[in-house]
Amino acid sequence: MHVHSRPGMALSALQEGFMFLNQEAMRFYKRIGYHDFEGIAAPDERERLARDLGTHNALILRNHGVLTCGRDVASAALDLAILMRCAEAQLQILATGRPGLPTLA
């Protein structure tokens, strides 16, 4: 599943990317990949997307959005919903300007 949600687009533009700031975010610990922005999507980008996804179920498309995949549509949709909820929380935490608690790298 691939979306251009506001939290997903904002998350994709953050230099630090996805941060493990809460328990739900841990679902993606060492299970999220990154794909650098290449401009308007083109068919030849598919191989690089697959490479950057690797064995993960979630991919941050830098300056673009996010995508998730899974063994079935329900799994991909659940990961997408959790990823978006975590992105919203991360953005709200960062918007406070207050230092957060230590996170896992």
Side-chain angles (χ1 to χ4, degrees):
M1 304 190 95
H2 172 58
V3 296
H4 294 167
S5 66
R6 287 183 183 154
M9 289 188 295
L11 176 69
S12 75
L14 292 175
Q15 183 175 1
E16 58 267 89
F18 187 79
M19 300 167 68
F20 304 96
L21 297 173
N22 58 55
Q23 183 172 329
E24 285 194 52
M26 296 310 298
R27 178 183 190 95
F28 301 101
Y29 186 67
K30 296 189 178 183
R31 294 183 179 115
I32 194 164
Y34 291 87
H35 178 74
D36 288 333
F37 186 65
E38 296 184 18
I40 301 299
D44 68 331
E45 190 174 11
R46 290 180 295 207
E47 291 79 19
R48 294 183 296 282
L49 284 165
R51 177 202 65 210
D52 293 340
L53 180 63
T55 61
H56 307 302
N57 285 347
L59 189 65
I60 304 294
L61 307 171
R62 296 282 192 189
N63 299 92
H64 184 122
V66 301
L67 71 79
T68 59
C69 62
R71 66 184 181 283
D72 53 37
V73 173
S75 297
L78 179 60
D79 274 352
L80 182 62
I82 294 170
L83 182 60
M84 289 303 87
R85 191 165 48 240
C86 290
E88 289 172 346
Q90 177 176 328
L91 294 167
Q92 290 171 339
I93 292 165
L94 293 175
T96 69
R98 302 285 313 251
L101 296 171
T103 65
L104 294 173

